[in-house]
Amino acid sequence: MSLWQKGLKELSDLVKSKEVKPSEIISSFAERTEQVEPKIQSYVSNLMEQALEKAKEKDEQLAGLDNIPDLFGLPIAIKDNINVFGTKTTCSSKMLENYESIYDATVIKKLNQQEYIITGKTNLDEFAMGSSTENSAFFVTKNPWDLDRVPGGSSGGSAAAVGAGIVPASLGSDTGGSIRQPASFCGVVGLKPTYGRVSRYGLVAFASSLDQIGPITRTVEDSALLMNVIAGKDEKDSTSADVPVPDFTQKLNQDIKGLKIGLPKEYFIEELDETVKQQIMETVKQLEKEGAEIQEISLPYTQYAIETYYIIAPSEASSNLARFDGVRYGHRASEYKDLEEMYSKTRDEGFGAEVKRRIMLGTYALSSGYYDAYYLKAQKVRTLIYNDFMNAYKDVDVIISPTTPDVAFKIGEKVSDPIQMYLSDIFTVSANMATIPAISVPCGFKDGLPIGLQIMGKPFDEPTILQVANHVEKLADVYKRFPEL
Ligand code: GLN
């Protein structure tokens, strides 16, 4: 087995026992990257050369080190809407094409304390708006299991990179499914933490009441390992929660006897692909054999989740994106008559179609006279969705559903139909609306394409969803498989 086929934990153990040097690890991933990255195109900025240099420095430090940090010399890719000092942070937008970060996001500071090595900044749908990376202003990332298909989105680059084996782990961001849906399409593990669990400081804001940063990894254990690094209250983010940070690996190997799993009937709908459904139900049966108690539950307000999400997210986006005005940073139109025209030309040239669509939607929903009818109403429905989950959690410990209604779709298939595209988030947006943690873990294949199973948990109960995910992972064994590339 080559080093590039290993996960973070395995690599970390090899470094800690000084059996392998960081430069050997980075070289192995660099070679793999050279081979397959031209086909996948996961990176907006490929920083592999710089990573090789850093690895050599780490080799020298390693010799004299006794206390070796968990991520010492290990490669991790970062979604290109997270600020990393001295690298470009483009959000895959023309607006920020040449913008260089002047500070580190809090999650990056924390990774730096563990002495990780960044391998690159990954492609996304512009400003994280989309489900396929087709909204990137630069190029479309390809699904490593089928190059004619999308990797999902918006963290498509981060998921494809891990799925293709060019990096063992990455960070993504999830506003309505952007970690879980691409993880599902690329056959890897994606965790959206509870809102407030991980600092958003340094994440370019899309919809501030929904956004969370989270790990994309090959294994559930690696997901827990990264959560141990990135979670926690941050003075720089007033919405980060002041709650104790557990050891996220604590429950991984505990059995699931007596654990109560809910299956929401509203998630097993007509639009759900038959093979995906069968695979999910097969896995649930196996969990039952291991001692879990399965029961049907109801989340009646699920039917309004997409509609309300597509009011709330664009409203917050329209406000957040007002800062891109050509004055302080980012793109500025080269010719204009007056200030007004400078603003409008800058924004017309800098933003792509989907971003403009959302700014218009959001501005409309927030405007006087419509605010009560749209934004306020949507916030009220959001509370009902939250209550649905809290009621369900009186009876069950976790909720299982498919991550997406079907496996990865073809490039171009949904791009001209925004409503179809929005519907691919149907099972993921509710977790953001309800602020709860949710993980997607591979549970099988349909015609060679990975199927993702979603586990949703109680607020701040990431350890239990990781525990269940660990069982699913062992049943499915997908993480040992790599796509032919
Ligand atoms: N696909 C959803 C959207 O387009 C979710 C995006 C996200 O989670 N960033 O809004």
Side-chain angles (χ1 to χ4, degrees):
M1 196 177 179
S2 312
L3 287 171
W4 66 263
Q5 290 171 310
K6 295 184 188 293
L8 281 182
K9 177 67 170 66
E10 281 175 284
L11 294 169
S12 172
D13 289 345
L14 289 171
V15 173
K16 284 187 174 179
S17 62
K18 302 193 183 179
E19 278 165 74
V20 167
K21 288 191 216 141
S23 65
E24 293 173 85
I25 294 173
I26 302 291
S27 300
S28 175
F29 282 98
E31 226 171 84
R32 174 76 177 166
T33 305
E34 220 165 273
Q35 269 168 18
V36 305
E37 171 63 5
K39 297 182 198 164
I40 305 289
Q41 292 190 281
S42 55
Y43 287 128
V44 175
S45 302
N46 181 339
L47 304 173
M48 223 51 205
E49 257 175 53
Q50 173 192 316
L52 284 163
E53 288 306 309
K54 270 203 198 142
K56 282 184 208 145
E57 285 169 29
K58 298 266 183 249
D59 284 0
E60 281 169 29
Q61 290 164 13
L62 182 65
L65 268 187
D66 293 328
N67 269 337
I68 300 164
D70 282 348
L71 301 178
F72 189 88
L74 302 189
I76 296 175
I78 308 293
K79 186 175 180 179
D80 207 17
N81 61 350
I82 298 174
N83 280 283
V84 179
F85 177 73
T87 72
K88 277 189 185 173
T89 298
T90 70
C91 294
S92 291
S93 176
K94 287 208 180 102
M95 189 61 95
L96 292 174
E97 195 166 4
N98 298 309
Y99 175 73
E100 199 170 287
S101 296
I102 53 172
Y103 69 104
D104 277 328
T106 296
V107 290
I108 300 301
K109 264 202 190 132
K110 290 180 174 234
L111 289 176
N112 277 334
Q113 283 160 5
Q114 292 290 321
E115 305 204 37
Y116 90 118
I117 294 179
I118 185 170
T119 57
K121 302 291 294 287
T122 57
N123 196 25
L124 62 148
D125 288 292
E126 186 175 4
F127 286 103
M129 299 175 190
S131 309
S132 65
T133 77
E134 290 165 296
N135 295 337
S136 166
F138 307 137
F139 49 83
V140 182
T141 299
K142 316 294 182 302
N143 188 308
W145 296 91
D146 178 348
L147 299 175
D148 293 331
R149 291 179 189 263
V150 302
S154 65
S155 313
S158 282
V162 177
I166 70 171
V167 76
S170 60
L171 290 187
S173 69
D174 191 314
T175 305
S178 278
I179 288 175
R180 290 160 287 154
Q181 185 255 24
S184 167
F185 282 6
C186 294
V188 294
V189 179
L191 171 68
K192 181 204 88 75
T194 310
Y195 184 77
R197 180 60 103 183
V198 175
S199 169
R200 292 183 296 112
Y201 179 73
L203 167 68
V204 179
F206 163 10
S208 310
S209 76
L210 301 160
D211 299 341
Q212 268 294 288
I213 296 172
I216 298 178
T217 54
R218 301 198 63 81
T219 69
V220 174
E221 187 179 25
D222 286 357
S223 186
L225 195 75
L226 274 182
M227 282 302 292
N228 279 349
V229 175
I230 64 174
K233 168 80 183 155
D234 178 16
E235 292 306 318
K236 292 199 166 106
D237 173 6
S238 62
T239 64
S240 69
D242 198 1
V243 292
V245 178
D247 173 1
F248 291 92
T249 63
Q250 67 186 356
K251 285 179 141 185
L252 284 187
N253 294 313
Q254 288 180 15
D255 71 45
I256 52 168
K257 278 201 192 79
L259 193 105
K260 296 195 181 69
I261 297 177
L263 296 180
K265 62 172 190 244
E266 291 80 4
Y267 282 61
F268 292 85
I269 49 173
E270 231 173 78
E271 290 85 349
L272 176 59
D273 176 79
E274 202 43 49
T275 314
V276 173
K277 183 174 166 183
Q278 275 173 14
Q279 192 59 52
I280 301 286
M281 292 316 290
E282 192 48 48
T283 309
V284 169
K285 255 193 228 148
Q286 297 290 332
L287 295 174
E288 194 171 21
K289 273 197 198 142
E290 291 184 24
E293 291 167 22
I294 314 294
Q295 53 176 285
E296 190 183 84
I297 58 163
S298 176
L299 299 166
Y301 285 100
T302 298
Q303 58 174 316
Y304 304 115
I306 288 275
E307 286 91 330
T308 43
Y309 170 84
Y310 276 100
I311 297 289
I312 292 172
S315 296
E316 295 182 10
S318 74
S319 168
N320 275 325
L321 270 58
R323 74 192 65 177
F324 300 104
D325 57 5
V327 177
R328 284 156 293 193
Y329 46 76
H331 176 73
R332 180 188 293 178
S334 51
E335 279 172 45
Y336 43 86
K337 288 198 304 285
D338 51 21
L339 185 63
E340 183 94 20
E341 195 179 277
M342 191 279 281
Y343 288 152
S344 70
K345 270 189 145 181
T346 295
R347 289 167 68 83
D348 184 34
E349 293 167 7
F351 291 139
E354 181 63 24
V355 174
K356 286 177 187 163
R357 178 157 40 235
R358 297 205 188 191
I359 291 174
M360 284 191 281
L361 257 175
T363 310
Y364 179 82
L366 291 179
S367 56
S368 113
Y370 295 108
Y371 178 90
D372 288 2
Y374 294 106
Y375 188 70
L376 196 64
K377 187 75 150 281
Q379 287 290 27
K380 288 180 179 169
V381 179
R382 183 173 180 182
T383 303
L384 296 173
I385 292 172
Y386 174 82
N387 290 344
D388 260 4
F389 279 97
M390 295 312 122
N391 280 333
Y393 287 136
K394 286 179 192 153
D395 300 323
V396 298
D397 301 304
V398 298
I399 296 171
I400 284 184
S401 78
T403 307
T404 56
D406 205 343
V407 292
F409 48 88
K410 286 236 159 85
I411 293 171
E413 194 179 317
K414 298 191 183 193
V415 82
S416 56
D417 187 348
I419 303 283
Q420 271 309 312
M421 192 68 95
Y422 296 172
L423 283 174
S424 61
D425 306 329
I426 193 159
F427 301 139
T428 49
V429 294
S430 293
N432 303 74
M433 298 287 273
T435 73
I436 57 175
I439 190 167
S440 178
V441 56
C443 71
F445 286 88
K446 173 193 166 186
D447 303 331
L449 296 167
I451 298 171
L453 178 145
Q454 176 174 240
I455 307 157
M456 295 180 271
K458 296 176 184 170
F460 299 104
D461 193 15
E462 287 88 358
T464 306
I465 60 173
L466 286 160
Q467 176 194 6
V468 179
N470 198 33
H471 283 261
V472 173
E473 170 178 78
K474 282 186 190 139
L475 292 167
D477 248 11
V478 173
Y479 63 98
K480 292 184 189 137
R481 281 177 61 173
F482 285 87
E484 305 269 333
L485 279 163

